Amino acid sequence: MVKYEEKYRDEALQLTGKRSFDGTFTVKHRSHSNIALVKYWGKRNYQIPQNPSISFTLENSVTDTVIKYRFKKERWLSFDFYFEGTANEYFAGRIRKYLSVLQTYFPFLENLHLTISSTNSFPHSSGIASSASAMSALALCICSIEKKLFGTLRDEKKFLTKASFMARLGSGSAARSVFPGFVLWGESTAVKGSSDEIAIPLPVEINDTFSDIRDAILITSAGKKKISSSAGHGLMQNHPFAQARYLQANENIITLMSALTTGDKDMFTHIIENEALTLHSLMMSSNPGFTLLNERTWKIIDEIRNFREKTGKFVAFTLDAGPNVHLLYPGRDKTAIKEFIEQKVVGLCENERWIDDGIKP
Ligand code: PMV
């Protein structure tokens, strides 16, 4: 099995000693957020997941990042960061930490001054986790700088694999955002080529039932999270249910892959709703425990279940590390689901806000 850490450390030895160059150059990437169906919750060592996860990448929730870079003689990390056109100290702190980790793999960074500008398509604090798209856009940009300076990474697959590895170092779920469609991150005995270090496109034939799956993101609260996901992952370390959870997630990967190929929507629904509620049960039962869901989250879940029972339509929910509900449904039911949202759900959303998204093919 490939050990990517070793591989990229070896490659780094070749990525030094770049002679000075004149002028300022630009790289840019758009990266898409993703929603996990089998959740990553708990990590070990440096950003290694305790269990594999499967997500799909979202079409409309994106981060656009542009990096302008120029050569400088002094050898230290130097950059400016602008979020939505304004210098942002808080994000700059996170980026500094991230870039200092990346320096191990991209030693040429110390001879560059970077001007990084990012914008999100989704409103700031809309409750959508932006770290996946943000970190993956940054990782893709840095890999592009390597490619331009050294003529490496010309092979698309190699480029994306390295970007996924690097994105993971910024935020675990960002490793999956490098790829469209359904994506697997983490080693699974059922999937050859799967790895804890990188994500890969899910190597199964996706049944038509799921190929145009949509995600209505129902915002029940856009406030800042009470606890960071890093702190949440940390609480899995001494969690009494940790081992059972990791075993369950591994089994759910296999069952979900089978549902995705056969088109078994009942199995799909059972797995993903159980995954969402398990994630939040783990949060509630950790020490200290915490709750991210609110009354409106539960009411929306009830409405979704009632609608499914009444109409027999394929609708399922999942949750991220927050109180907003992701309502999943097939593209052909778009009109019926919009009607359902307008009649039963939008009144439960904060400022009647929801985001109309779907899988990025
Ligand atoms: O990538 P992180 O460290 O923000 O963790 C993401 C955790 C979940 O969103 C709850 C689950 C997942 O697999 O995306």
Side-chain angles (χ1 to χ4, degrees):
M1 207 173 54
V2 193
K3 293 260 193 329
Y4 292 94
E5 168 78 31
E6 252 171 61
K7 176 178 157 60
Y8 296 136
R9 276 181 189 264
D10 281 353
E11 277 182 24
L13 302 175
Q14 314 301 318
L15 302 176
T16 51
K18 189 71 197 164
R19 284 198 310 274
S20 69
F21 59 87
D22 293 327
T24 300
F25 295 86
T26 304
V27 288
K28 54 180 162 190
H29 278 278
R30 163 168 290 187
S31 199
H32 298 247
S33 188
N34 68 77
I35 178 69
L37 301 175
V38 174
K39 310 289 182 183
Y40 148 58
W41 199 242
K43 59 180 162 184
R44 60 194 162 83
N45 301 336
Y46 199 80
Q47 297 285 89
I48 295 296
Q50 289 282 18
N51 64 260
S53 54
I54 291 178
S55 60
F56 69 81
T57 298
L58 294 169
E59 176 132 55
N60 302 331
S61 304
V62 303
T63 300
D64 284 302
T65 297
V66 181
I67 302 186
K68 292 186 188 300
Y69 60 97
R70 62 177 162 78
F71 186 84
K72 64 172 175 53
K73 280 208 202 67
E74 311 78 40
R75 298 173 65 178
W76 61 68
L77 199 59
S78 148
F79 73 97
D80 305 306
F81 178 69
Y82 299 90
F83 180 65
E84 320 257 303
T86 323
N88 185 307
E89 282 305 309
Y90 172 73
F91 289 142
R94 278 196 71 175
I95 289 174
R96 173 166 299 283
K97 216 171 122 201
Y98 179 47
L99 289 178
S100 50
V101 172
L102 290 192
Q103 266 187 304
T104 310
Y105 307 95
F106 304 103
F108 57 86
L109 283 177
E110 66 178 13
N111 275 125
L112 300 180
H113 177 80
L114 310 176
T115 303
I116 308 171
S117 310
S118 267
T119 52
N120 284 349
S121 66
F122 42 95
H124 187 44
S125 54
S126 64
I128 296 196
S130 57
S131 65
S133 53
M135 292 302 179
S136 106
L138 253 179
L140 286 159
C141 283
I142 303 290
C143 287
S144 279
I145 297 178
E146 177 196 315
K147 185 176 172 183
K148 285 203 172 187
L149 290 179
F150 296 89
T152 50
L153 302 176
R154 287 179 195 280
D155 177 272
E156 177 80 353
K157 189 169 173 217
K158 285 191 179 145
F159 179 90
L160 293 175
T161 301
K162 188 163 188 174
S164 177
F165 178 97
M166 298 303 161
R168 188 196 96 235
L169 302 177
S171 170
S173 53
R176 299 185 307 239
S177 266
V178 165
F179 300 101
F182 289 91
V183 183
L184 169 73
W185 167 42
E187 196 179 333
S188 161
T189 49
V191 184
K192 214 171 135 240
S194 61
S195 162
D196 286 344
E197 297 182 273
I198 53 144
I200 55 171
L202 193 66
V204 298
E205 183 98 31
I206 302 292
N207 189 282
D208 283 351
T209 316
F210 306 109
S211 56
D212 65 345
I213 194 160
R214 300 206 53 82
D215 180 3
I217 309 168
L218 309 163
I219 315 289
T220 67
S221 169
K224 200 173 163 332
K225 274 194 279 183
K226 279 185 248 172
I227 176 160
S228 72
S229 54
S230 296
H233 287 294
L235 289 171
M236 282 305 285
Q237 240 149 40
N238 297 312
H239 201 295
F241 305 146
Q243 293 317 314
R245 161 61 192 157
Y246 303 146
L247 209 67
Q248 177 202 40
N250 273 281
E251 284 166 4
N252 282 348
I253 291 280
I254 296 172
T255 317
L256 182 65
M257 284 200 307
S258 150
L260 286 171
T261 31
T262 58
D264 188 338
K265 26 187 204 300
D266 294 338
M267 184 57 77
F268 175 92
T269 303
H270 170 70
I271 296 286
I272 72 151
E273 294 189 350
N274 188 265
E275 276 287 322
L277 296 174
T278 298
L279 170 71
H280 285 269
S281 311
L282 290 166
M283 294 172 182
M284 290 189 268
S285 53
S286 58
N287 185 11
F290 58 100
T291 50
L292 299 180
L293 307 182
N294 60 40
E295 206 182 322
R296 294 192 284 193
T297 316
W298 290 115
K299 284 192 174 147
I300 292 178
I301 289 176
D302 274 349
E303 290 292 354
I304 293 171
R305 285 176 164 158
N306 291 342
F307 179 78
R308 181 163 61 220
E309 212 160 284
K310 241 176 42 204
T311 63
K313 282 203 182 299
F314 166 38
V315 283
F317 69 84
T318 186
L319 304 160
D320 210 348
N324 306 318
V325 182
H326 291 248
L327 166 58
L328 309 186
Y329 62 95
R332 64 170 180 277
D333 285 338
K334 201 168 171 177
T335 314
I337 299 303
K338 268 203 163 145
E339 225 166 78
F340 161 64
I341 292 174
E342 269 151 29
Q343 282 174 9
K344 299 280 184 188
V345 178
V346 87
L348 294 165
C349 295
E350 190 176 70
N351 302 321
E352 308 210 333
R353 203 148 105 201
W354 67 282
I355 293 171
D356 186 11
D357 214 330
I359 191 166
K360 177 175 165 44

